[in-house]
């Protein structure tokens, strides 16, 4: 089986790396949009508790629907390809970033805010120089969870024509060629582990700079 895998890779090197590039690109795009949506929403929820239940409830309700089912539901509305897959993956990726942002800001003690205000800081300065830095380690943890999840989930995007390493997984299963499935699945695992280790390092740096660990 290992020899078959090597032979397949050598015969399809450019195609393989094209799948890798597509998979990483989709994952990065989804992560960026999830961050751009999730962090501001999380801040709003932390500042306006009445909206928190509605927003988090809506996001979590959408997440309950299986990923593939959501993608299939998108097909009649916006067709097949990367766009509908990206929309669904953003929905899937959003909750950990949103929840951790809310938790991060709510974890900042009122006494710290009051001390900052007492030192003459404006509301903007308190937010940028006190609240956000203290919340950042938790936000980073949410992003880390989201990235690992989206790298794995992007595999199913191939079912609606988005491409990526999921093509190898589904092709291997469809043709009964286990080594192709292993190549696709193994590559997804490697990317996921690499991303997790990289983000773990970033998270540790942020945590140490905030003085949360010795």
């Amino acid at each position: 089986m290992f020899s078959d895998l090597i032979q397949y890779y050598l015969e399809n090197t450019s195609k393989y790396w094209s799948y890798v590039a597509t998979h990483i690109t989709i994952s990065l795009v989804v992560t960026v949009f999830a961050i751009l949506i999730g962090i501001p929403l999380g801040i709003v929820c932390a500042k306006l508790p009445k909206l928190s239940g509605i927003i988090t409830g809506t996001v979590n309700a959408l997440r309950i629907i299986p990923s593939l089912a959501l993608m299939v539901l998108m097909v009649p509305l916006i067709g097949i390809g990367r766009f509908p897959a990206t929309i669904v993956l953003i929905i899937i990726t959003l909750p950990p970033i949103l929840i951790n942002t809310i938790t991060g800001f709510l974890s900042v003690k009122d006494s710290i805010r009051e001390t900052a205000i007492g030192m003459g800081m404006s509301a903007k300065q308190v937010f940028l120089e006190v609240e956000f830095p203290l919340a950042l380690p938790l936000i980073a943890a949410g992003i880390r969870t989201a990235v690992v999840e989206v790298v794995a989930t992007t595999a199913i995007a191939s079912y609606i024509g988005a491409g990526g390493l999921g093509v190898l997984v589904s092709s291997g299963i469809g043709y009964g060629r286990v080594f192709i499935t292993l190549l696709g699945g193994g590559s997804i695992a490697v990317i996921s582990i690499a991303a997790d280790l990289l983000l773990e390092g970033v998270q540790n740096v942020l945590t140490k700079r905030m003085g949360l660990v010795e």
Side-chain angles (χ1 to χ4, degrees):
M1 182 182 296
F2 184 72
S3 60
D4 290 333
L5 189 154
I6 296 297
Q7 183 178 351
Y8 178 85
Y9 171 77
L10 293 175
E11 293 176 353
N12 299 274
T13 303
S14 60
K15 185 182 294 186
Y16 167 78
W17 286 109
S18 175
Y19 290 145
V20 171
T22 299
H23 200 99
I24 292 175
T25 299
I26 293 173
S27 299
L28 284 174
V29 169
V30 168
T31 301
V32 168
F33 275 98
I35 290 171
L36 292 176
I37 297 170
I39 292 178
L41 269 182
I43 294 170
V44 170
C45 289
K47 299 295 183 181
L48 303 172
K50 290 183 179 180
L51 289 178
S52 181
I54 298 173
I55 294 175
T56 56
T58 301
V59 171
N60 285 325
L62 288 172
R63 200 186 186 204
I64 291 173
I65 304 173
S67 306
L68 185 56
L70 268 178
M71 290 188 182
V72 171
L73 289 173
M74 286 289 179
V75 171
L77 299 175
I78 49 181
I80 63 174
R82 293 187 188 181
F83 183 67
T86 299
I87 298 299
V88 173
L89 290 170
I90 289 172
I91 293 171
I92 295 169
T93 309
L94 198 55
I97 298 175
L98 174 66
I99 299 302
N100 275 44
T101 300
I102 296 172
T103 303
F105 275 89
L106 291 180
S107 67
V108 180
K109 296 179 180 179
D110 290 336
S111 59
I112 296 176
R113 294 188 182 91
E114 292 168 2
T115 299
I117 293 171
M119 294 172 62
M121 286 187 174
S122 64
K124 182 178 179 181
Q125 288 176 316
V126 171
F127 174 78
L128 292 176
E129 299 178 26
V130 178
E131 292 180 312
F132 192 78
L134 290 175
L136 195 53
L138 274 175
I139 295 173
I143 293 172
R144 178 183 168 191
T145 301
V147 168
V148 172
E149 189 168 348
V150 76
V151 169
T153 311
T154 296
I156 66 172
S158 63
Y159 286 99
I160 58 170
L165 288 165
V167 174
L168 293 179
V169 176
S170 58
S171 296
I173 294 172
Y175 291 108
R177 304 173 76 180
V178 179
F179 61 90
I180 298 179
T181 300
L182 287 176
L183 179 61
S187 299
I188 292 170
V190 169
I191 294 171
S192 181
I193 292 170
D196 185 50
L197 290 174
L198 175 63
L199 292 173
E200 181 183 17
V202 173
Q203 183 184 348
N204 289 339
V205 169
L206 289 174
T207 303
K208 289 178 180 178
R209 287 189 175 182
M210 293 305 103
L212 299 178
V213 297
E214 295 182 0

